[in-house]
Amino acid sequence: MNNNIFYIAAALCLSAAACTKKLDRLPTNDITPDKAYSTSTGYKEGLAKVYAAFANTGNTGGTGNPDIPTQIINDEGNSDFLRLYFNLQELTTDEGAWTWQNDAGIQGLHEMSWSSINPIVDGLYYRSFFQIALCNEFIRQSADGVLDGKHFPSQSVDSIRHYRAEARFLRAYQYWVLMDLYGNPPFVTEKDAIASTIPKQISRADLFKYVESELKGAADSGLVAPHTNEYGRADQAAAWALLARLYLNAQVYTGTARYTDAITYCNKITVAGYSLHPNYSELFRADNNLNIDENIFTIAYDGTYIQNYGGTTYLIHGPANIPGTITGCNGSWTGLRLTQQSVQLFPDYSGNTDHRAQFWQTGQTLDMTDMYTATAGFSTFKYRNITKSGAPAPHADPAGNYSDIDFPLFRFGEIYLIYAESVLRGGTGGDAGTALKYVDSLRSRAYGGAAGVIPAGQLTTDFILDERGRELYYEACRRTDLIRYGKFTTGAYLWAWKGGVESGTAVADKYNLFPIPSTDLSSNPNLKQNPGY
Amino acid sequence: MQKRLLVRIPILLLLLCLSSALFAQKKTVTGKVTDAKDGSPLAGVSVQPKGDLKSGVVTGNDGSFTITVNDYVKTLVFSFIGFGTLERPVAAGDMNIALTGSSSGLNEIVVIGYGTVRKTDVTGAIATVGEKDFQKGSITTPEQLIAGKVAGVSVVSNGGQPGAGSTIRIRGGASLNASNSPLIVIDGVPLDNDAIAGAGNPLSFMNPNDIESFTVLKDASSAAIYGTRAANGVILVTTKKGRGGALKVNLNSTNSVGTLVKEVPVLSAAQFRSIVNTSGTAAQKAMMGGANTNWQDQVFQDAFGTNNNLSISGGLKKLPYRLSIGYQDQNGILKTDNLQRTSVGLAINPVLFDNHLRIDLNLKGSAQHTRFANQGAIGGAVTFDPTQAVYSKSSRYGGYFEWLDPTNPTGLTNLAGRNPLGLLEEHYNRSTPKRSIGNLQVDYKFHFLPELHANINAGYDVSDGKGTTFVPDSAAESYIAGGTGGQNNRYRTTKTNTLFEAYLSYSKDIASIHSHFDVLGGYSYNNYLTKVYNYASFYASGSKVPNSDPAFPFDKPEHTLLSWFGRANYSYADKYLLTATIRRDGSSRFGPSNKYGTFPSVAVAWRLKSESFLSGVDAVSNLKLRAGYGVTGQQDGIANYAYLSVYALSNSNASYQFGDSYYQGYRPGGYNPNVKWEQTATSNIGLDYGFLDNRISGSVDYYYKKTTNLLNSIPQPAGSNFSAYILANVGDMTNKGVEFSINFQPIRTNRVTWDLGFNITYNKNRITNLTVIPGDTSYPGFASGAIAGGIGGQFGLINAVGGPKNTFNLYQQVYDAKGQPIEGVFVDKNHDGIINQQDLFKTKPADPQTFMGFTTNVTVGRWNAGFVLRASLGNYSYNNIFSQTGTLNQILGNSVLYNGSTNYLVTHFKGGNAQQLLSDYYIQNASFLRMDNLSAGYNFGAISHTHTNLRFIAGVQNVFVITKYKGIDPEISAGTDVGPGNPGIDNNLYPRPRTYFLGLNLDF
């Protein structure tokens, strides 16, 4: 009988021991990094997320599985890169106001009175760092030492090395965004281990050097030649375009002008065989992925495969009161309008002469008499989710929510303007005649003929700023441009409701930078707030 | 291993039993137990041979019992919750026993974790509520049976939806971000606290009629035997068992009608018209219709409900059984809400081999047919334009009036509210959740050593929740141009939770040293496996929404707990009691260095009544001092794999384009390799008392709980992890409080009894640390309590060091000389000339500090009446309806017209000032006194022939609420969502109905 007790006890002990193994549970579908990167397809899927990090809001189309926690942005539809970036680059300027002041973070943007607690200011910061963290991880996982252990065919290894260079480019792009908007962000690279590093802060000037060297490094070793990559992926021209933009603004970032370098990289792109797409309005259509003549680097969107409520979906629905039949969607969110100052950059804003003036005027007033009234100020249908032929977007979702339009982060038209401005600002390696020719070619396209051509004497830096306003409005450049011209916070240029008053007023210089989010200041003891906040 | 063991152990036991088969001589005793008060039969009384409390029978519905005992048994012990214990010598012929009800039956048996103890031997803070004390009436969800009944336990229903769950808090909850819900154990099977798909709450599957008692383990010394899951207390649910004897049938039926108590006060059509005509644009005036529609009248209804139960119990030979069948059909007061539940329960409890082998088999199952109303209609009805008719003359959009915009392909105005009645009637969210819980418990008393027991418990909890949301393509809710929209989407989740436990217990009396020992040691294996199905989306037509296929067809999250536990009880001379427990838990949810945790407890008690100086004092019937300390854990609310770095593949509609192909992307998830359990250390000092033959009894407890390693979702330094927020163990919090309960029987005669019960709890919660570096004053705390209608991401509450959790953090409103709030003007707290985040101030708490319950019952002859009152003091609520809809901007500031709160007539606020939403003007005192239940019953006694007993009961639930709160219901601390909800923020609560019920109960 005692033996029986012994058996029971022994059985109990055995079962207990056998079960301890059951404490190692693994998820069903989510996999560990070494599994994810066990195949070359896995690397491509890793790379897909590195890119998707600035296109999508999360891992599920529409909403439902956000990348950015709801503590930072409550409404996932607002948490993608472009919508956040657009809001900070455009709503703070003469080009935009948003009707719904109760929407998170809107209040204070156009008034230029934002604080260090603002979901849009926080949102872009954390979105940029999300993509940076993905890039760091991808670069770590694709390091030569790691790849050596995988025994992939050499062709696959070569491809992965290109992917790695693209991750370096994307990281540099996001650090450029952070440098441009926040000045002195924290700094992490692939050398910093996840979940155990407290990043150090980097100065704007040092970050400039880092971005510059990373772009050159990626361009020189890894990125493929212009026009030789798959659509959607970065090539050398993308890095050159960002370098051109970086040098154009170097005075702002570092105190030292680098216009000659800007011209150098514009020239490299020109030589690489880009040209202006013949029709301006076709640049922002559902099938603009076909514009390989002008597109240098785009964020891809798709009504079926790349669905979210930011991106160009925001840019077709957002503009106020434009019928869905025109924008190619199920209707307007009645939000975005432009100030009259921005519209009046076009001497004839009807669109009859300069076809870039694509303003919706029906029911709208020219003057933005109120920041938060949907009919105050024109809106624009620059982005239309229909094809060049006017057909429905090829991958449109039946509900009419999502856009197929790709967003040009860099297009060749801007390169002409960078070139011209750099020449006018004293850069060498270019000449005034070419600058004028470039500007005239943009304007000829806009006017549909020579009517847009200007006399040489008219080409000044101020003209370039206005021309950028006409050519690149709603392309998320405006805040950076106004700062470069000293017109963002000062009284040198006033627009409706700048500083919160209808006639516009200057605001404190601190607004040339956004504040480091207070959330990060309280979780990272290495950080110091930007001056004035 | 597991499975083979499960088979092997019962075989071993069986062999043991057979080897020493039936030797002893037997005799059979029969009798009947009645209530001394009125002679009514008492069902469910436990009848046991003295000295062998592990065996015995219970009385049937007519109070009769039949028990077969060994010849040497001289005395039988009769005990019943609420009636105490009586010992009577075994007599020949029928024994007629009259038990006297006492509100604190001292000798009753109390279920504790892994076993039972006599109530006199309890050393921890334990409360038991038996059937006699349950709330009466039309109860759809079991935890409501004990609302207001137990000091320290607050049960707040999550709204008025049929089957909606409740938020249960024992002593305030020990967590901030992780779960604050207690562990619920049904007949030894611990439940998984997550709801199943398509079912309201984890307990809603249970038929309240099958429940015999609740035992609440409040302090750590009693709960620590449940280790990592016990920090928020434990509720043990015991279901009714077979009683042996002749066939007994009980039939009861309760029918009820629920009515809407109060509508959200909004502008009438006339008031609305006058405002639009005064302040609106010509276009807005033209938008108005000619109707006078009260949209809340349109969406709410009187809700009928019927609840019918049949139970059969008795004994087949020596096999006591109980079989119950229940059917409930409950409408919601929101139109289209309906819950139908069929439940079956079977309990078989044979005692074999001369009382050496006791088998308890419990099987419970339920199947529901539920239609969930679209609760968006509640808010829609508050704000929809009252001048519009319900129906349009057009056949489009189901014939309902909708806001139209011909420039849109759909014909509908974007971002406009949709017709509330259309939202209900054209939305079919139907589910058919099924669930079964069962266990087989075998307790073997060794023949050669009867003091030694082996107990094996194998249990399961399986459920299958599936349903479909169908919206016809004509419905405005998901209209697509061309009328091919709508939706027809499936969802499904199954759960397969398994339990295996085994323990050995040994008890010994050593008379020579006046000592009694009880020791127990065991092992427990719990596995929780869920399977979540992912489906593509479909249109109403059944065609698939393009590219909506999920990345994976299903997910199977799983976690496992492995535990060893032990307990030792020692009592000396029935005066001094000591209990010590220990549990070591291993959890799959943590990384290698944090997998295991040890949770000890110790408690002592001193029965003063047994001391010589009190034993002769008749006025004092009970006096016992208790003190205990223990450590418990908390691991609910933590993801299963939070410590692991894993990659998740995106859905194909969140792909990225390379060339002409679209690639799904691998996203690395944020993770914290160091995550571990929260830990709560609790000290408890208590006094149990009883005076005047226990006509006055109760207890007082003081407790102090300190939670460390609070699980908190904290921001990570940007760039340092894949997610900006990570769950980490940061922070400490304390709860201290006093509980007092008293039961008083002012009248106790044969004809009339009057019982009063009162309990009060005071709980003070304080956050003492929230940062990695303790005392970091730069961290303001984290916000909660999302406010609707404002800029998203606006929160009304803060959890900050130095204050209680859920403290309102708002701007201080400035008022004019007449006491009117001035819009947008707030106190500049830091005198810097601007109103910004730095001017928010911490004001009232959302959680109550004091709550009370009061119960009374009067029996006069065959009549019986009683009521339950519940009160909560010191809690405040934010009236989000006032703040969101009480402005001119609400009415006129959108693309279409919306109705507003009548609060606009008070404030005349223009609206549009985002700061105004954060005004403390909207904080209102939500202390309340609520009568939960008022009922009266009549017992006809035996009718027509002797064996049939008929009783009637009629009453009202949610009788009245006395409060200063201006919204529809002050009790919103539970929030309106599943899960932790949104404490303290009142916005579109599903109104709790006032329910009138009539029930009849038939025994034969």
Side-chain angles (χ1 to χ4, degrees):
Chain A
M1 203 63 76
N2 278 317
N3 282 347
N4 285 330
I5 302 176
F6 176 77
Y7 290 143
I8 293 173
L12 283 173
C13 294
L14 269 175
S15 86
C19 287
T20 51
K21 273 190 223 140
K22 300 203 168 172
L23 291 184
D24 299 320
R25 299 283 182 207
L26 287 172
T28 316
N29 300 322
D30 297 355
I31 59 177
T32 51
D34 48 317
K35 275 211 183 120
Y37 290 120
S38 61
T39 64
S40 56
T41 311
Y43 274 92
K44 192 135 195 188
E45 286 167 331
L47 183 74
K49 186 64 192 183
V50 170
Y51 276 96
F54 68 16
N56 283 317
T57 55
N59 252 14
T60 299
T63 59
N65 194 350
D67 296 331
I68 306 300
T70 53
Q71 292 98 325
I72 290 172
I73 301 182
N74 200 32
D75 177 356
E76 187 187 332
N78 288 293
S79 72
D80 73 302
F81 171 75
L82 183 57
R83 186 167 180 174
L84 291 162
Y85 185 54
F86 181 95
N87 284 343
L88 293 184
Q89 288 282 77
E90 298 286 2
L91 298 188
T92 55
T93 72
D94 55 338
E95 288 184 359
W98 176 254
T99 308
W100 310 113
Q101 67 171 324
N102 286 347
D103 283 0
I106 288 299
Q107 211 179 32
L109 287 191
H110 193 70
E111 300 93 322
M112 305 185 84
S113 60
W114 55 79
S115 74
S116 63
I117 303 174
N118 178 305
I120 296 174
V121 175
D122 291 12
L124 181 67
Y125 179 91
Y126 283 101
R127 170 58 71 182
S128 292
F129 272 110
F130 176 70
Q131 196 170 22
I132 288 169
L134 296 196
C135 292
N136 285 339
E137 172 80 350
F138 191 88
I139 293 164
R140 261 192 302 272
Q141 299 287 352
S142 56
D144 284 342
V146 177
L147 290 180
D148 289 347
K150 307 261 176 186
H151 308 296
F152 292 151
S154 66
Q155 203 182 350
S156 299
V157 173
D158 286 347
S159 299
I160 293 169
R161 289 203 176 110
H162 293 311
Y163 303 166
R164 186 176 67 204
E166 289 165 39
R168 278 177 81 187
F169 164 74
L170 289 171
R171 180 175 64 180
Y173 174 77
Q174 288 297 356
Y175 269 125
W176 168 74
V177 168
L178 289 165
M179 176 177 67
D180 188 56
L181 279 84
Y182 304 88
N184 313 287
F187 182 65
V188 280
T189 69
E190 77 278 9
K191 297 188 180 77
D192 302 302
I194 285 290
S196 60
T197 309
I198 296 181
K200 296 238 172 5
Q201 193 161 17
I202 189 168
S203 73
R204 203 179 201 186
D206 287 344
L207 189 52
F208 180 92
K209 284 183 213 152
Y210 174 78
V211 171
E212 181 187 21
S213 77
E214 277 296 289
L215 289 172
K216 286 181 175 166
D220 294 346
S221 59
L223 288 178
V224 299
H227 283 137
T228 60
N229 214 342
E230 288 180 301
Y231 180 78
R233 290 173 49 195
D235 56 23
Q236 287 174 332
W240 297 338
L242 180 50
L243 279 163
R245 214 187 259 177
L246 184 77
Y247 291 129
L248 179 68
N249 292 287
Q251 177 84 44
V252 174
Y253 302 144
T254 67
T256 307
R258 300 284 293 274
Y259 299 111
T260 301
D261 293 305
I263 294 167
T264 305
Y265 282 95
C266 289
N267 287 337
K268 280 176 99 106
I269 295 165
T270 310
V271 169
Y274 288 92
S275 61
L276 293 185
H277 186 72
N279 183 323
Y280 181 83
S281 71
E282 289 181 4
L283 293 173
F284 311 100
R285 295 289 178 96
D287 49 355
N288 66 344
N289 56 312
L290 304 175
N291 303 339
I292 51 167
D293 43 2
E294 179 154 357
N295 288 341
I296 296 172
F297 184 57
T298 58
I299 306 179
Y301 296 95
D302 190 282
T304 300
Y305 292 98
I306 312 174
Q307 299 177 337
N308 66 80
Y309 287 97
T312 52
T313 292
Y314 172 60
L315 298 181
I316 55 172
H317 290 275
N321 298 324
I322 305 175
T325 45
I326 291 179
T327 48
C329 67
N330 60 12
S332 170
W333 299 340
T334 55
L336 294 170
R337 297 111 52 222
L338 298 94
T339 68
Q340 61 271 30
Q341 286 79 12
S342 165
V343 172
Q344 286 167 337
L345 290 177
F346 294 94
D348 169 16
Y349 53 71
S350 71
N352 294 331
T353 48
D354 187 334
H355 300 310
R356 296 174 301 190
Q358 301 176 84
F359 298 115
W360 181 254
Q361 305 181 28
T362 312
Q364 307 294 114
T365 57
L366 169 66
D367 288 348
M368 187 181 283
T369 49
D370 189 284
M371 251 182 299
Y372 299 117
T373 295
T375 51
F378 291 173
S379 55
T380 177
F381 48 88
K382 179 167 171 170
Y383 296 88
R384 298 179 69 185
N385 193 35
I386 52 174
T387 66
K388 293 163 196 168
S389 64
H395 284 172
D397 67 307
N401 283 321
Y402 307 112
S403 161
D404 265 12
I405 309 166
D406 295 352
F407 182 83
L409 278 180
F410 299 101
R411 62 180 174 89
F412 189 56
E414 186 198 354
I415 300 303
Y416 274 177
L417 289 166
I418 293 176
Y419 179 96
E421 186 178 333
S422 298
V423 167
L424 290 169
R425 287 182 185 274
T428 57
D431 61 86
T434 311
L436 182 64
K437 190 184 82 188
Y438 285 172
V439 172
D440 279 343
S441 61
L442 284 168
R443 292 177 59 83
S444 298
R445 171 172 73 174
Y447 280 73
V453 167
I454 56 165
Q458 217 173 313
L459 189 65
T460 62
T461 50
D462 278 347
F463 182 89
I464 296 284
L465 178 65
D466 290 350
E467 192 61 23
R468 288 182 72 97
R470 290 182 285 264
E471 176 72 21
L472 297 170
Y473 75 96
Y474 267 44
E475 294 184 52
C477 296
R478 192 62 175 168
R479 177 190 148 278
T480 306
D481 290 346
L482 290 172
I483 289 173
R484 189 170 67 253
Y485 278 82
K487 290 181 170 179
F488 186 59
T489 55
T490 63
Y493 175 39
L494 298 177
W495 54 84
W497 300 105
K498 178 176 180 174
V501 299
E502 184 168 2
S503 55
T505 184
V507 298
D509 280 348
K510 69 172 185 180
Y511 293 109
N512 282 317
L513 280 183
F514 288 102
I516 306 285
S518 65
T519 313
D520 206 24
L521 285 173
S522 64
S523 49
N524 185 343
N526 295 333
L527 300 184
K528 258 183 71 184
Q529 184 54 283
N530 286 329
Y533 287 103
Chain B
M1 186 70 233
Q2 206 62 50
K3 274 182 192 151
R4 251 187 294 151
L5 187 76
L6 279 178
V7 175
R8 197 176 285 174
I9 287 179
I11 293 174
L12 278 171
L13 285 171
L14 207 62
L15 288 172
L16 284 168
C17 307
L18 289 173
S19 62
S20 60
L22 310 147
F23 288 118
Q25 294 295 311
K26 296 288 186 155
K27 64 187 170 192
T28 299
V29 185
T30 58
K32 181 170 180 174
V33 183
T34 53
D35 188 340
K37 201 162 59 186
D38 54 6
S40 65
L42 282 179
V45 176
S46 151
V47 184
Q48 295 159 308
K50 190 175 185 187
D52 183 15
L53 294 181
K54 301 263 180 188
S55 63
V57 298
V58 287
T59 57
N61 280 0
D62 62 350
S64 65
F65 67 91
T66 305
I67 183 169
T68 306
V69 296
N70 288 324
D71 229 6
Y72 56 78
V73 171
K74 295 286 181 271
T75 306
L76 288 181
V77 180
F78 299 87
S79 60
F80 190 43
I81 289 173
F83 281 78
T85 300
L86 195 66
E87 293 184 6
R88 282 288 179 271
V90 173
D94 276 3
M95 293 176 70
N96 283 313
I97 309 297
L99 283 182
T100 304
S102 75
S103 355
S104 69
L106 280 181
N107 291 314
E108 70 196 58
I109 297 298
V110 177
V111 179
I112 57 172
Y114 307 104
T116 57
V117 291
R118 288 190 309 162
K119 189 159 185 183
T120 42
D121 292 343
V122 165
T123 55
I126 292 180
T128 299
V129 185
E131 193 179 7
K132 171 172 98 66
D133 293 318
F134 286 168
Q135 288 227 18
K136 293 176 175 62
S138 171
I139 302 277
T140 58
T141 170
E143 67 278 3
Q144 286 296 329
L145 294 168
I146 58 165
K149 298 289 187 178
V150 183
V153 180
S154 105
V155 179
V156 179
S157 74
N158 290 342
Q161 193 183 32
S166 306
T167 302
I168 308 174
R169 293 286 174 269
I170 297 178
R171 293 180 166 178
S175 189
L176 274 178
N177 268 10
S179 174
N180 273 314
S181 296
L183 175 70
I184 296 171
V185 181
I186 298 183
D187 290 330
V189 182
L191 291 194
D192 162 5
N193 254 332
D194 302 329
I196 60 171
N201 87 83
L203 277 177
S204 75
F205 79 98
M206 258 196 109
N207 183 348
N209 275 285
D210 284 344
I211 296 176
E212 183 171 277
S213 70
F214 289 86
T215 301
V216 185
L217 311 179
K218 295 191 281 191
D219 71 337
S221 71
S222 55
I225 194 90
Y226 285 104
T228 51
R229 289 174 293 175
N232 292 309
V234 180
I235 296 181
L236 306 173
V237 180
T238 307
T239 61
K240 291 174 183 167
K241 301 292 186 296
R243 291 161 174 170
L247 173 70
K248 307 285 179 274
V249 180
N250 171 271
L251 182 66
N252 74 58
S253 173
T254 304
N255 291 281
S256 63
V257 56
T259 60
L260 182 67
V261 181
K262 195 175 172 186
E263 289 182 350
V264 173
V266 293
L267 301 172
S268 69
Q271 288 168 325
F272 179 84
R273 262 193 197 94
S274 120
I275 289 166
V276 177
N277 282 327
T278 311
S279 311
T281 63
Q284 286 173 325
K285 287 175 198 167
M287 275 186 201
M288 285 194 291
N292 294 299
T293 304
N294 180 334
W295 288 100
Q296 293 184 75
D297 283 353
Q298 293 296 323
V299 300
F300 291 114
Q301 64 181 359
D302 287 342
F304 290 92
T306 180
N307 190 354
N308 305 289
N309 294 286
L310 174 71
S311 73
I312 302 165
S313 63
L316 284 172
K317 307 238 163 138
K318 284 191 171 179
L319 192 68
Y321 66 87
R322 179 177 187 273
L323 174 68
S324 72
I325 297 167
Y327 175 75
Q328 179 171 36
D329 187 344
Q330 178 70 53
N331 284 332
I333 56 170
L334 184 62
K335 282 180 183 172
T336 73
D337 241 336
N338 177 261
L339 167 74
Q340 293 170 41
R341 176 178 63 203
T342 308
S343 56
V344 180
L346 174 68
I348 299 172
N349 340 86
V351 179
L352 305 171
F353 308 123
D354 193 18
N355 290 337
H356 276 266
L357 185 67
R358 206 183 153 84
I359 297 171
D360 279 297
L361 176 69
N362 298 299
L363 300 172
K364 286 171 283 292
S366 95
Q368 296 182 8
H369 282 271
T370 308
R371 178 171 172 194
F372 292 104
N374 181 352
Q375 293 197 25
I378 297 176
V382 170
T383 59
F384 211 81
D385 175 359
T387 67
Q388 305 300 341
V390 178
Y391 301 101
S392 67
K393 300 206 168 63
S394 148
S395 62
R396 244 182 142 182
Y397 315 118
Y400 298 94
F401 168 83
E402 300 291 356
W403 292 109
L404 303 179
D405 178 354
T407 70
N408 279 340
T410 58
L412 292 160
T413 307
N414 268 9
L415 307 179
R418 303 290 180 234
N419 188 309
L421 193 62
L423 285 179
L424 289 174
E425 292 182 337
E426 296 205 284
H427 185 97
Y428 303 83
N429 178 356
R430 291 194 172 105
S431 74
T432 54
K434 297 181 184 67
R435 184 164 183 177
S436 176
I437 291 190
N439 69 320
L440 176 70
Q441 189 156 10
V442 179
D443 188 271
Y444 172 66
K445 186 168 66 176
F446 287 83
H447 277 82
F448 58 93
L449 188 62
E451 295 90 347
L452 182 66
H453 286 251
N455 188 299
I456 289 173
N457 182 17
Y460 69 89
D461 172 5
V462 297
S463 60
D464 182 357
K466 62 178 174 183
T468 305
T469 303
F470 177 79
V471 177
D473 59 9
S474 61
E477 185 191 338
S478 36
Y479 196 83
I480 286 183
T484 54
Q487 47 172 302
N488 189 357
N489 292 329
R490 287 189 293 164
Y491 53 88
R492 184 178 185 190
T493 303
T494 64
K495 289 196 177 198
T496 315
N497 300 340
T498 47
L499 165 76
F500 172 77
E501 288 177 331
Y503 64 83
L504 289 169
S505 70
Y506 178 79
S507 68
K508 183 77 180 167
D509 264 316
I510 306 177
S512 57
I513 53 165
H514 312 290
S515 293
H516 177 81
F517 294 93
D518 237 320
V519 291
L520 161 151
Y523 163 78
S524 167
Y525 167 86
N526 280 266
N527 193 52
Y528 297 89
L529 173 65
T530 301
K531 186 171 179 184
V532 184
Y533 291 80
N534 303 315
Y535 296 105
S537 302
F538 292 86
Y539 295 114
S541 63
S543 64
K544 196 196 285 182
V545 174
N547 201 39
S548 61
D549 286 309
F552 298 99
F554 59 83
D555 188 23
K556 283 173 84 172
E558 179 172 22
H559 74 101
T560 305
L561 272 177
L562 286 183
S563 315
W564 292 264
F565 54 87
R567 177 171 55 213
N569 289 317
Y570 171 72
S571 71
Y572 177 76
D574 261 4
K575 285 179 201 166
Y576 310 107
L577 308 162
L578 172 80
T579 306
T581 69
I582 190 158
R583 180 162 178 136
R584 183 164 171 78
D585 272 344
S587 168
S588 64
R589 282 183 167 163
F590 305 109
S593 54
N594 297 310
K595 274 216 184 318
Y596 293 91
T598 305
F599 301 90
S601 83
V602 62
V604 292
W606 177 24
R607 290 181 59 195
L608 285 85
K609 175 62 187 170
S610 303
E611 294 288 353
S612 53
F613 58 84
L614 272 183
S615 57
V617 183
D618 284 343
V620 179
S621 27
N622 177 32
L623 209 55
K624 181 166 74 177
L625 260 176
R626 293 178 274 109
Y629 173 82
V631 179
T632 49
Q634 156 65 31
Q635 65 149 24
D636 269 359
I638 305 168
N640 286 334
Y641 316 105
Y643 73 95
L644 263 181
S645 171
V646 288
Y647 279 48
L649 195 62
S650 74
N651 279 359
S652 69
N653 54 8
S655 297
Y656 201 72
Q657 180 176 8
F658 293 149
D660 292 330
S661 304
Y662 296 87
Y663 292 85
Q664 289 160 262
Y666 268 124
R667 179 174 72 185
Y671 68 100
N672 174 2
N674 302 314
V675 69
K676 61 183 177 189
W677 17 58
E678 293 182 343
Q679 194 165 303
T680 300
T682 308
S683 309
N684 192 89
I685 298 174
L687 174 75
D688 297 335
Y689 62 89
F691 301 108
L692 306 174
D693 193 18
N694 273 328
R695 283 175 68 172
I696 301 173
S697 67
S699 55
V700 191
D701 277 274
Y702 166 82
Y703 60 85
Y704 177 79
K705 296 204 292 187
K706 182 171 169 70
T707 306
T708 50
N709 292 325
L710 273 175
L711 284 161
N712 235 324
S713 188
I714 57 167
Q716 295 299 293
S720 69
N721 210 316
F722 298 120
S723 176
Y725 273 72
I726 297 284
L727 196 70
N729 297 89
V730 166
D732 309 319
M733 182 173 78
T734 60
N735 276 288
K736 53 188 163 188
V738 179
E739 294 164 4
F740 172 75
S741 69
I742 183 166
N743 294 295
F744 177 41
Q745 208 168 32
I747 302 177
R748 182 159 88 192
T749 69
N750 277 344
R751 216 181 103 73
V752 182
T753 54
W754 181 20
D755 289 292
L756 296 167
F758 172 71
N759 65 73
I760 179 166
T761 307
Y762 170 83
N763 183 68
K764 187 169 182 193
N765 172 277
R766 196 177 146 93
I767 298 169
T768 52
N769 177 39
L770 281 178
T771 46
V772 182
I773 309 151
D776 178 0
T777 51
S778 69
Y779 183 61
F782 65 90
S784 69
I787 290 174
I791 69 177
Q794 272 187 313
F795 296 92
L797 299 162
I798 193 161
N799 295 290
V801 169
K805 61 181 173 179
N806 298 329
T807 298
F808 285 105
N809 188 43
L810 299 163
Y811 296 116
Q812 188 176 359
Q813 182 70 49
V814 171
Y815 297 83
D816 67 12
K818 287 184 228 141
Q820 280 286 106
I822 309 172
E823 183 169 17
V825 182
F826 307 102
V827 175
D828 183 8
K829 288 282 180 184
N830 63 353
H831 309 290
D832 65 351
I834 37 174
I835 299 295
N836 60 15
Q837 301 280 338
Q838 275 83 43
D839 297 301
L840 295 169
F841 80 117
K842 297 182 188 90
T843 169
K844 308 290 189 188
D847 299 336
Q849 287 205 325
T850 306
F851 53 97
M852 294 180 263
F854 178 77
T855 302
T856 188
N857 244 303
V858 180
T859 305
V860 180
R862 291 175 180 275
W863 287 94
N864 176 299
F867 62 79
V868 180
L869 287 169
R870 212 155 40 78
S872 176
L873 300 177
N875 53 308
Y876 286 77
S877 286
Y878 173 93
N879 194 325
N880 206 167
I881 306 259
F882 275 21
S883 66
Q884 184 180 0
T885 71
T887 68
L888 191 61
N889 202 36
Q890 155 76 10
I891 300 164
L892 300 173
N894 297 290
S895 53
V896 299
L897 301 172
Y898 286 99
N899 202 0
S901 161
T902 51
N903 187 239
Y904 170 66
L905 303 175
V906 178
T907 63
H908 295 286
F909 281 170
K910 179 176 176 291
N913 179 333
Q915 284 181 329
Q916 186 61 45
L917 279 165
L918 292 177
S919 164
D920 71 342
Y921 169 72
Y922 296 114
I923 297 292
Q924 295 166 9
N925 187 339
S927 299
F928 67 88
L929 170 71
R930 183 194 295 270
M931 184 179 277
D932 268 351
N933 193 299
L934 171 67
S935 68
Y938 183 76
N939 188 348
F940 285 93
I943 53 160
S944 61
H945 46 96
T946 49
H947 281 301
T948 305
N949 188 294
L950 177 67
R951 277 177 289 150
F952 270 108
I953 183 169
V956 190
Q957 280 166 267
N958 190 13
V959 188
F960 62 77
V961 183
I962 297 171
T963 181
K964 287 182 183 166
Y965 186 66
K966 298 192 183 78
I968 57 165
D969 195 326
E971 207 170 358
I972 48 124
S973 60
T976 55
D977 308 310
V978 176
N982 213 3
I985 310 293
D986 176 13
N987 196 10
N988 298 327
L989 177 76
Y990 193 124
R992 297 183 180 92
R994 176 171 299 149
T995 305
Y996 302 88
F997 64 90
L998 183 64
L1000 73 84
N1001 189 74
L1002 203 57
D1003 289 311
F1004 51 92

